[in-house]
Amino acid sequence: MDHKNKLKHLTKEQKIKLIMGADFWTNYDVDGSVYKFIVSDGPVGLRQPLDRMTAEQTDCIKSVAYPSFQMLSQTWDTGLAFEMGRSLGNDCIEQKVDILLAPGVNIKRLPTNGRNFEYLSEDPFVAGIFARDYIKGVQSMHVGTSLKHFCCNNSEKSRHWASMEVDERTLREIYLRPFEIACEARPWTVMCSYNLVNGMRMSEHEKLYGVLRNEFGFDGLIMSDWWAVKDSESSLNAGLNLEMPYDEEHQKEMLAKSERLDETKLNESVERVLALAEKCERESKLRKVEMSLEERRSVALKIEEEGIVLLKNEGVLPMKKGKAFVTGAPAVNYYFGGGSSNVYSEREFEPLTDALKNEGMNVEYAESVSAVRGHQAILGNLKAAVFKAAQSEYTVICVGEPNTCEYEDADRQQIKLSKEEELAIHALSKASDKLVVVVYAGAAIDMSEWINEVEAIVWAGYGGEYANRAVAEVLTGKVNPSGKLTETFPLSLGDVPSENAYRDEAVMVYSEGMNIGYRYFDTYNVPVLFPFGYGMSYSEFFYGDLAVEKDGAIVKVQFEIENASNVDGKEVAQVYVRELTKEVYRPYKELKAFKKVFIKAHERATMEFALDASAFAYYSVAKDRWVVKPGVFEIIVAANVIEEKLRAKITLKAEE
Ligand code: BGC
C-alpha cells in the first residue's frame, strides 16, 4: 500500500503519533505497518547511544572517527566530501541506520561559537558545496541525510530561546545560501534549529519553510532539532513534519485537541512521514556495504593529510631525521569536539611519539603541560622539559582545546590557549631554535602572545583517529601540506565585528550584515593573524597567464600555476569576483570558485573555471530575487583572500 492509501486508513490518533517521534531515534510504526526508520548522529562518525532509548552523549558505540568538518573543508577537495559521505554511508549500513543527522552548514559568524568545529566555513559558497557533495556521498549508499540546523544557529549560547535579528539580504546571501546550494543534492530531510529568526521560532517559521520548499526545491521531510518544538500545533501549521524526539506532554496535548487540528496540515505532514518511511524501506533493500573498514579508515587519514594547514614555517619543516623532543597533552591524548557529534574511535589512539618514530625520527617525550578542564591546564615539570628541548634538534609542543572547551550548548569564553600552554611555549622557545607548535582545536585561536617566538605552526584541528599519523607525515615531509583555512583567524576577538554586535539573553542583532569573516577584514583592510584561504606548502607556486572571456552566459577563466620548487605539491587556487560598478553594497570581493591541483616539481598546470550568473548575482530585496546587474566586474585570482595574484576585468551586458 502506498502512503496515499495508508493515509486513508489511519485514525486521528495514529496520525498524531506519526508526526511525533516514537522515542529518541525512531518514528511511530503504527503496530508494525509502517517502516520504522532509525536516525543517528553524527557528522564525523556514527554516534549511537548504547541504550537507544536515551540521548546519552558519552555511552555510545565505537565507530570510525573522521576529522571534523573544519578539517574537511580545509582540504578544499569536494571529492573528499563525497568520499567521507560515502564512507559514513557504509558505517550507517553496518549499524542499520537509515538517516544520518548531518551535515551542519551553519555559517561561522563568531569565532567563539562552541560548535564551529562542526561547521564548514564562514563562506556560504564553501559551506554549501562541501555539504552538497557530502550529502551526495551518503545518499549514494541509499542512506538519508538531515541538512541542519535551519537556520541562523550561529552560536550556542541561548540557542534555545534567542532570536537572531537578520536583515533580508544578509539572510539570503550569507545564512540561507549554504542551504540553497546543499539542497541541490536533494537531502532526504532538513532539521530546523532551536533559535528564533526575526522573532519567530524556527520550528514554526512558515515563511522560511516556504523559501526552503518553493525556492530551494526541497521536497523531503522537515524535522525538528531535539526538543526544538515548543508548541506542537503551531509547528504543524507552519509546516514542520516531524517533531523529535518523543515528548509525552506534547503528545498528550495534541491528542487532547485532535478534533480541532487542521486536518489538511495534519495529512500533509503524515504523508511526508509515510513517504520518508517508504523511501527508507525501499532504499534499505538496495544497501550493501561497499567499503571495508580499512578503506573507510584510509578516507579518515586522507582527509586529515589534506586538511592540515601549515601556518608558519621559518625553514624548519620538514624535519630531517634526527632527535625530536615532543611534549604537550594532545600528543598523548585524543582531542575532539564535544556534544552530539562526539565520536568514540574504535581504533586505538596513536600518540604523536609513535607516529614520529614510524617516520624514522628519534623521539623523546616528557610532559610539560596537560589540559584539565576548559581553559585551565596543569603545568608539569617545565624545567625538565626545557632541559630536554635544549638537548634536541627539534622541539614539538602539542597544544589545543579538548572537548571541555569546544562543545555543543555553550560558546567558548575566549579564543586563546590556556595561560599554562602559553607559558610552556615561551619557556621552550628560549631553549629551542626549532620550536614547532602543533595545534589541536576546532576553531580559530589567537596566537598573538607567542607567534613570534616559534619557528613553525601546524594546524592539526580535530583530526579524527589518524590525526597524529597525518601530523607526523606533514612534520617529516612524507606529506606536503596542502590545506588552507576556510575561516579567518583574527588577531584578537575584539577585531571581529559580529563579536561586538549587540546581544543579550533574548536577542542577537546581526548588525554587521554581510560583513562577516573575510568579507569584513578584506573590505575594511583590517589586519588578521591568518586570512581566509591561507595555508603554506613545502613547494613554491607562481601564477600567470590569466585569460577571461565570455562564452554565452558563462565567463571562462583560465590561468597557469607553476610549481617552481623541487617538491611535488598541491595548490588551492581561489577565484574571487569584485563588482566595480555597483548599485548596492557589496563586500570588496567574494569567493566564487576554487580548485585544488597537484603539480609535480618544476611543472605547470592549466586551471580552468566556468563562472555562471550566480557568481555575479546579488539578492535584490527590492525585487525579491537574485539579480545580475550589467556592469564591470573584476576577476581576482588569489592564493588566499589577501594574496591576490592575477586580475582581469569583464563587462556584463543586460540579460546575461
Ligand atoms: C543537536 C543536533 C543533533 C540532535 C540529536 C541536538 O542537540 O543540536 O545537531 O542531531 O541533538 O542528537
Side-chain angles (χ1 to χ4, degrees):
M1 210 193 306
D2 69 13
H3 62 264
K4 295 255 183 241
N5 273 327
K6 258 187 199 141
L7 183 72
K8 289 187 206 143
H9 296 93
L10 292 168
T11 65
K12 248 307 171 36
E13 182 181 336
Q14 288 169 328
K15 287 182 185 178
I16 289 171
K17 288 186 173 169
L18 269 167
I19 61 160
M20 309 179 101
D23 54 41
F24 275 91
W25 312 106
T26 59
N27 59 312
Y28 168 60
D29 69 355
V30 198
D31 303 324
S33 64
V34 170
Y35 180 83
K36 204 168 183 58
F37 52 80
I38 295 173
V39 303
S40 174
D41 290 312
V44 296
L46 276 190
R47 185 193 68 86
Q48 275 190 75
L50 290 172
D51 173 1
R52 275 206 171 151
M53 298 309 283
T54 72
E56 179 59 63
Q57 293 197 348
T58 48
D59 215 1
C60 296
I61 57 155
K62 296 213 158 138
S63 178
V64 178
Y66 301 85
S68 71
F69 265 22
Q70 181 203 39
M71 299 310 287
L72 175 64
S73 64
Q74 284 174 183
T75 66
W76 294 77
D77 180 347
T78 55
L80 287 175
F82 182 89
E83 274 309 301
M84 181 162 161
R86 187 167 163 261
S87 195
L88 268 151
N90 279 270
D91 295 332
C92 287
I93 295 176
E94 258 178 18
Q95 294 296 332
K96 307 213 173 337
V97 167
D98 293 285
I99 296 164
L100 183 65
L101 300 174
V105 281
N106 298 89
I107 290 293
K108 302 189 194 200
R109 172 175 179 252
L110 303 155
T112 43
N113 179 10
R115 252 180 135 172
N116 271 357
F117 69 93
E118 279 193 63
Y119 297 137
L120 290 153
S121 182
E122 67 186 26
D123 181 79
F125 179 65
V126 173
I129 298 241
F130 273 90
R132 182 192 68 193
D133 290 2
Y134 173 100
I135 293 169
K136 283 184 187 164
V138 178
Q139 295 188 174
S140 74
M141 295 308 302
H142 309 282
V143 172
T145 54
S146 195
L147 177 62
K148 66 188 189 184
H149 308 87
F150 186 72
C151 67
C152 294
N153 182 185
N154 310 103
S155 51
E156 289 296 288
K157 187 176 182 291
S158 337
R159 69 172 174 170
H160 293 277
W161 57 84
S163 175
M164 310 297 143
E165 280 189 18
V166 198
D167 69 86
E168 179 71 8
R169 182 157 170 230
T170 302
L171 193 57
R172 294 292 188 145
E173 291 199 23
I174 306 289
Y175 297 102
L176 287 175
R177 185 74 184 132
F179 288 95
E180 184 172 12
I181 297 172
C183 274
E184 289 168 19
R186 302 191 63 195
W188 294 8
T189 74
V190 164
M191 185 193 292
C192 79
S193 56
Y194 294 107
N195 54 281
L196 291 75
V197 171
N198 295 329
M200 177 59 72
R201 193 165 280 288
M202 275 313 302
S203 52
E204 299 170 22
H205 217 301
E206 190 174 0
K207 183 173 173 198
L208 291 182
Y209 290 174
V211 172
L212 186 65
R213 294 227 179 266
N214 308 327
E215 298 182 42
F216 303 170
F218 175 66
D219 59 359
L221 170 140
I222 305 177
M223 69 169 83
S224 72
D225 199 342
W226 270 229
W227 297 286
V229 171
K230 298 295 170 234
D231 179 332
S232 307
E233 186 182 357
S234 303
S235 292
L236 172 69
N237 291 340
L240 185 95
N241 308 126
L242 178 63
E243 172 176 341
M244 288 300 287
Y246 170 71
D247 183 316
E248 197 182 345
E249 275 308 300
H250 284 193
Q251 198 161 102
K252 267 195 208 148
E253 280 165 24
M254 285 292 270
L255 290 172
K257 55 183 162 189
S258 63
E259 289 318 311
R260 289 200 280 117
L261 293 179
D262 182 326
E263 186 92 31
T264 317
K265 295 278 182 195
L266 183 61
N267 286 347
E268 267 170 30
S269 278
V270 170
E271 274 199 59
R272 295 266 184 208
V273 176
L274 293 176
L276 181 65
E278 267 171 27
K279 184 172 194 149
C280 289
E281 184 170 21
R282 207 171 46 240
E283 297 279 324
S284 71
K285 295 185 181 130
L286 304 171
R287 290 177 195 150
K288 207 168 75 224
V289 173
E290 282 176 8
M291 291 168 80
S292 68
L293 183 60
E294 280 320 303
E295 283 170 326
R296 282 175 253 166
R297 285 180 164 170
S298 68
V299 170
L301 174 62
K302 181 88 180 144
I303 292 168
E304 182 65 0
E305 287 173 341
E306 299 270 332
I308 286 178
V309 183
L310 178 61
L311 293 172
K312 177 174 179 175
N313 186 18
E314 288 184 345
V316 287
L317 296 180
M319 304 196 295
K320 300 192 180 62
K321 305 271 177 278
K323 190 166 170 198
F325 168 56
V326 176
T327 185
V332 288
N333 291 292
Y334 177 38
Y335 270 36
F336 56 94
S340 60
S341 69
N342 268 350
V343 198
Y344 298 94
S345 166
E346 58 189 348
R347 187 172 169 267
E348 207 183 313
F349 176 76
E350 183 177 4
L352 183 60
T353 39
D354 289 0
L356 279 171
K357 279 181 200 154
N358 279 341
E359 298 306 325
M361 297 293 295
N362 173 2
V363 187
E364 193 177 1
Y365 173 82
E367 198 176 77
S368 52
V369 61
S370 58
V372 180
R373 224 199 129 68
H375 282 97
Q376 268 191 333
I378 292 182
L379 272 182
N381 190 341
L382 200 50
K383 251 195 192 154
V386 167
F387 182 74
K388 285 191 171 32
Q391 312 283 303
S392 309
E393 188 176 356
Y394 299 97
T395 297
V396 180
I397 178 162
C398 300
V399 292
E401 298 193 321
N403 62 350
T404 47
C405 293
E406 296 187 40
Y407 54 94
E408 190 174 322
D409 225 9
D411 289 334
R412 294 199 288 169
Q413 299 298 306
Q414 49 140 325
I415 61 167
K416 290 189 166 199
L417 295 175
S418 64
K419 285 259 164 299
E420 294 75 15
E421 282 173 317
E422 292 193 340
L423 200 73
I425 296 174
H426 284 309
L428 292 169
S429 73
K430 298 205 170 66
S432 173
D433 58 0
K434 287 184 184 157
L435 177 59
V436 182
V437 180
V438 185
V439 190
Y440 300 70
I445 296 279
D446 171 354
M447 305 177 185
S448 49
E449 194 61 36
W450 47 270
I451 188 167
N452 294 327
E453 295 172 20
V454 308
E455 281 66 42
I457 306 172
V458 173
W459 185 266
Y462 291 143
E465 60 187 48
Y466 277 105
N468 283 329
R469 179 169 306 178
V471 169
E473 290 172 345
V474 165
L475 292 178
T476 55
K478 183 172 178 184
V479 165
N480 186 353
S482 62
K484 290 192 179 187
L485 297 178
T486 44
E487 66 203 72
T488 307
F489 278 30
L491 276 173
S492 78
L493 209 46
D495 289 342
V496 180
S498 44
E499 203 64 44
N500 301 317
Y502 178 84
R503 66 182 121 154
D504 61 24
E505 288 298 307
V507 170
M508 297 202 191
V509 183
Y510 285 33
S511 52
E512 74 287 351
M514 295 193 297
N515 287 321
I516 64 134
Y518 74 83
R519 283 169 170 75
Y520 166 73
F521 293 103
D522 189 43
T523 307
Y524 292 94
N525 262 315
V526 178
V528 297
L529 187 68
F530 298 114
F532 174 87
Y534 171 84
M536 298 173 81
S537 162
Y538 298 146
S539 309
E540 204 183 347
F541 300 105
F542 288 94
Y543 286 64
D545 302 336
L546 175 62
V548 175
E549 59 169 26
K550 272 187 292 175
D551 182 0
I554 298 292
V555 172
K556 286 186 163 174
V557 179
Q558 188 182 309
F559 54 91
E560 298 277 307
I561 304 180
E562 183 189 349
N563 180 349
S565 71
N566 295 323
V567 206
D568 298 349
K570 287 182 180 171
E571 170 67 331
V572 177
Q574 299 153 42
V575 178
Y576 294 83
V577 172
R578 174 179 177 217
E579 185 172 5
L580 295 172
T581 47
K582 49 184 186 271
E583 65 185 2
V584 294
Y585 174 76
R586 305 200 83 169
Y588 182 80
K589 62 179 183 282
E590 293 179 285
L591 183 76
K592 297 299 170 184
F594 59 85
K595 210 175 273 175
K596 188 175 213 176
V597 61
F598 171 71
I599 314 177
K600 279 185 160 303
H602 303 293
E603 288 191 5
R604 293 162 76 94
T606 302
M607 307 295 289
E608 286 175 331
F609 295 89
L611 303 179
D612 63 17
S614 68
F616 303 92
Y618 73 91
Y619 191 84
S620 164
V621 177
K623 293 184 179 152
D624 261 340
R625 61 177 168 85
W626 291 89
V627 298
V628 179
K629 191 188 77 64
V632 187
F633 293 82
E634 206 167 18
I635 306 295
I636 303 172
V637 175
N640 62 63
V641 76
I642 290 182
E643 211 182 322
E644 297 178 358
K645 300 285 191 185
L646 310 164
R647 279 171 181 254
K649 284 188 185 139
I650 185 103
T651 303
L652 298 187
K653 305 213 175 72
E655 303 298 311
E656 281 178 319

